[in-house]
Amino acid sequence: MEQTPKMDDFEASNKMLDAIDGILSPKMARAFEAHLAESEESRDRLTRLRELLSVLHSQPRATMPLDLRERPLSFPIWRLRRFFANPRAVWKQLPVAARLLIEGVSIAAVVVVGIKLGPVARDLYERRMEQRLQTMIAAEDLSSGNVPMARGIQSDSEVSDEVGNSEGGENETEVDTSAGVDVDSDVQVGRGEIWRFNLKTDAPALVRNQILKALREAGLPETTPGIGGVEAPGGIQFDLIVPQALIPSLKVTLEKLAGTPSENLPFSETFTWYKNRSKKPIPNGTSRMVIWLSQI
Amino acid sequence: MSKRPLRQKAPGDVWMKRIISTYGDLLYDLCQSMLWSPADAPDAYRSILRTLGRRPKAERFLKYERSWILQIAFNELRGMKKRSPRLLTPAEQVMLDSNPDPKARLRFFDSYFHRLPIESQLLLLLRDKYGLPVSEVASVLQIPEPSARLQRLQALRLMESWIYGGALGTNS
């Protein structure tokens, strides 16, 4: 009787797969079975191996999508979809030569486009800035444009109208305040007076707009004759009739607008004022105000 | 008597249709199983078909057709997997290995399976999932049959050590 060969754990583990596949020779199969009867460890290993093979065998089969089954060889759209889903992966799959070519062409294209577009971008920017500037100027003109430059009611004979002059801020001994408005102790506005303000500025047109704004804010209607000022050689002049109560505040505003003279100028004051009595009658409660913006 | 492969001189469309109808499902499942990505499987499948279509007609074996097709498929899949592998992050790997229960680990069989070398994955799929004989699997991988058997055993030992914590053939 042929003796069954003895098998150890190592040999048994090497023959396990063949035993499961059923391709062991009868002699080896008997030896394997004998070893299994004696070794619990080998039995456990066999169980685990069978379990693994069972899991492998029972792995689900993937179902081919219907459109792939119908059109298995069409793929441009899929490639695009796949590219957009994961562009890096698709890029990595391209051959090195193709990637280098695409990169080189892209860099060259970027450089050429940059060179071509540079002047165009600069033009666009300059046009835009010019448009903005034009808009600003137009807005400024619009704000002052609806008040055209025009003389006030009393104009040419103003010098002969003046009875006497008084200059300065503090000494107002000639002022007749009996029927005037006493708003401020330093500025007493009398009846029938002409108030003259002289501002020295290097931009009369700009200051004109500011004076116009101040006059509007003071409550003067737009239709007040002379509110727009008039251009004269050497500057711009405003000649208008205003309520007496507005004179002090306007004086303060005009003084602020005149600003402080710089050290380079030959004169020390940019704002001077005086008042005198008017020969021609001025409506009650009002005074004549003449503002002269002289160009430095 | 020299052995000459049987040459099928069928028109390209007819031949390709026959290949698709015969091996299409197998190839598609192989693509999805190897790449571990349903999104990449259609592209891989198409790529394999296009490669098959471009091969010279003299290569179209009728007798060993399946091995030849699977060999081409394996080459394509290997290249794709190398270019864009799907790998677990270190955190996922730690989470996978930290579970002591083999039953729980068995639920993540796919994750452990894709840790194997690509040749071992193909070998196990062809032999144990699709039931191909070891000789045919060896011809697909272009290795001798005993080497294919040994590689299969080693792959299964590795899986066993990962999942059950011990290894076949070791005194642990």
Side-chain angles (χ1 to χ4, degrees), chain A residues 57-64, chain B residues 25-26 29 32-33 129-131:
Chain A
H57 185 69
S58 59
Q59 288 284 300
R61 300 285 185 110
T63 310
M64 198 186 304
Chain B
D25 290 310
L26 171 65
D29 186 72
Q32 187 157 324
S33 301
K129 184 175 180 183
Y130 305 130

Side-chain angles (χ1 to χ4, degrees), chain A:
Chain A
M1 187 176 164
E2 195 180 348
Q3 273 191 331
T4 308
K6 213 62 169 136
M7 198 181 270
D8 59 8
D9 281 341
F10 180 75
E11 199 178 350
S13 69
N14 287 340
K15 297 294 179 190
M16 237 173 239
L17 269 183
D18 293 339
I20 291 173
D21 290 342
I23 57 174
L24 280 179
S25 64
K27 188 178 167 184
M28 293 307 292
R30 282 198 301 273
F32 184 73
E33 290 298 327
H35 174 79
L36 279 184
E38 292 168 4
S39 171
E40 189 182 346
E41 195 177 338
S42 294
R43 286 198 298 274
D44 290 339
R45 283 179 190 162
L46 184 67
T47 307
R48 289 197 289 258
L49 189 57
R50 280 195 170 128
E51 197 172 17
L52 282 177
L53 291 172
S54 167
V55 170
L56 252 175
H57 185 69
S58 59
Q59 288 284 300
R61 300 285 185 110
T63 310
M64 198 186 304
L66 190 60
D67 49 354
L68 182 63
R69 194 179 293 278
E70 287 171 358
R71 293 187 310 273
L73 293 175
S74 64
F75 83 136
I77 294 173
W78 289 90
R79 283 273 176 179
L80 277 173
R81 278 194 204 162
R82 189 163 162 252
F83 176 75
F84 289 116
N86 193 355
R88 191 172 276 190
V90 173
W91 176 252
K92 278 184 188 173
Q93 284 176 17
L94 288 175
V96 172
R99 274 192 273 169
L100 284 174
L101 184 66
I102 292 170
E103 280 171 1
V105 167
S106 304
I107 291 169
V110 165
V111 169
V112 167
V113 166
I115 290 170
K116 291 282 182 190
L117 284 184
V120 172
R122 189 181 162 185
D123 273 344
L124 282 173
Y125 174 74
E126 282 176 0
R127 268 189 223 168
R128 197 176 153 199
M129 295 309 291
E130 203 174 317
Q131 212 170 4
R132 268 198 195 168
L133 198 61
Q134 294 294 338
T135 310
M136 276 170 59
I137 292 171
E140 205 173 294
D141 287 346
L142 197 66
S143 67
S144 56
N146 57 359
V147 181
M149 287 192 173
R151 291 185 178 277
I153 294 174
Q154 297 168 337
S155 53
D156 298 324
S157 56
E158 60 195 50
V159 176
S160 58
D161 292 339
E162 295 167 10
V163 172
N165 296 345
S166 66
E167 201 168 327
E170 305 290 331
N171 301 320
E172 297 289 329
T173 53
E174 295 177 43
V175 172
D176 177 12
T177 60
S178 57
V181 175
D182 187 4
V183 179
D184 190 321
S185 59
D186 292 337
V187 179
Q188 296 184 1
V189 184
R191 194 175 55 171
E193 289 177 337
I194 301 175
W195 286 78
R196 294 186 180 276
F197 301 98
N198 192 1
L199 284 79
K200 292 192 174 83
T201 172
D202 54 358
L206 286 176
V207 177
R208 173 194 171 248
N209 292 335
Q210 289 165 339
I211 290 173
L212 194 58
K213 187 181 165 189
L215 291 173
R216 282 198 198 118
E217 283 172 0
L220 279 178
E222 297 268 341
T223 52
T224 304
I227 194 171
V230 62
E231 264 192 53
I236 297 172
Q237 186 184 43
F238 291 82
D239 188 354
L240 59 163
I241 304 292
V242 301
Q244 287 174 342
L246 295 182
I247 296 287
S249 58
L250 285 173
K251 176 183 172 288
V252 171
T253 305
L254 291 171
E255 194 166 357
K256 281 181 190 166
L257 286 175
T260 315
S262 65
E263 291 176 357
N264 299 330
L265 293 173
F267 47 85
S268 59
E269 285 185 4
T270 54
F271 177 74
T272 52
W273 66 279
Y274 65 92
K275 63 175 180 178
N276 46 33
R277 198 169 294 281
S278 172
K279 272 190 179 174
K280 287 189 178 175
I282 295 176
N284 282 339
T286 62
S287 294
R288 185 177 163 193
M289 186 166 80
V290 177
I291 304 169
W292 173 240
L293 299 177
S294 59
Q295 173 85 51
I296 295 175

Side-chain angles (χ1 to χ4, degrees), chain B residues 140-171:
Chain B
V140 171
L141 289 169
Q142 296 177 298
I143 56 175
E145 193 176 326
S147 300
R149 290 184 190 280
L150 185 61
Q151 203 169 332
R152 181 175 168 230
L153 179 63
Q154 285 171 342
L156 286 168
R157 280 181 181 176
L158 211 49
M159 291 279 293
E160 201 254 1
S161 71
W162 288 334
I163 293 174
Y164 297 100
L168 291 173
T170 61
N171 296 326

Side-chain angles (χ1 to χ4, degrees), chain B residues 64-121:
Chain B
Y64 306 104
E65 191 176 65
R66 187 167 65 177
S67 304
W68 173 67
I69 288 170
L70 288 172
Q71 195 177 333
I72 290 170
F74 175 57
N75 289 334
E76 288 289 317
L77 291 169
R78 183 168 46 186
M80 289 179 80
K81 203 158 168 94
K82 274 184 185 170
R83 283 191 293 267
S84 51
R86 186 187 152 180
L87 300 169
L88 292 175
T89 62
E92 285 171 330
Q93 294 206 19
V94 167
M95 189 197 72
L96 213 57
D97 294 330
S98 62
N99 200 329
D101 184 18
K103 296 288 180 191
R105 289 188 186 186
L106 212 53
R107 282 200 290 272
F108 295 99
F109 181 85
D110 270 351
S111 303
Y112 291 106
F113 179 77
H114 284 92
R115 280 186 183 179
L116 292 170
I118 189 168
E119 291 80 10
S120 301
Q121 291 179 34

